[in-house]
Amino acid sequence: MPRATSDAKLLIQSLNKAYAATPTNLKIIDLYVICAVATAVIQVAYMGLVGSFPFNSFLSVCLRIQVNKDNKEFKDLPPERAFADFVLCNLVLHLVIMNFLG
């Protein structure tokens, strides 16, 4: 047992050290992602209890992936373009939901 707790402490320390080097704009996006995931969990629980279709709360993950400079797949994509894509997708999503709700 003591070995597992020391391994867990080492893991947490290394994650904290790596996250300290993360740029502030990605930390802000991470906060938004946490909020969106919490909203999605609440919506899925609501769907399970009431039986209605939940909204899509995972668009922020796409923004985080595109803005991250370490991601080689989107290295040529400017952050302004990624944010514009995010805003456009949110607008379309919310317009569809408002239309669906009446």
Side-chain angles (χ1 to χ4, degrees):
M1 264 323 205
R3 170 106 172 122
T5 56
S6 67
D7 288 344
K9 286 181 182 178
L10 285 173
L11 178 65
I12 290 171
Q13 287 175 350
S14 66
L15 288 174
N16 284 336
K17 188 176 178 182
Y19 198 69
T22 303
T24 305
N25 63 344
L26 290 181
K27 288 181 181 180
I28 292 170
I29 293 172
D30 287 345
L31 286 174
Y32 183 76
V33 168
I34 290 169
C35 178
V37 168
T39 303
V41 168
I42 291 169
Q43 290 171 352
V44 168
Y46 177 81
M47 181 190 70
L49 293 173
V50 178
S52 180
F53 186 78
F55 306 136
N56 186 356
S57 296
F58 298 104
L59 288 175
S60 59
V61 176
C62 296
L63 175 65
R64 168 81 160 84
I65 290 170
Q66 290 179 1
V67 174
N68 190 358
K69 295 292 182 196
D70 295 335
N71 192 349
K72 305 291 187 248
E73 190 173 335
F74 296 102
K75 67 179 180 178
D76 297 331
L77 186 70
E80 294 83 11
R81 168 71 193 275
F83 186 71
D85 290 347
F86 171 71
V87 169
L88 178 67
C89 288
N90 268 312
L91 285 174
V92 169
L93 174 69
H94 287 93
L95 287 174
V96 168
I97 288 171
M98 289 302 158
N99 186 34
F100 176 72
L101 293 176

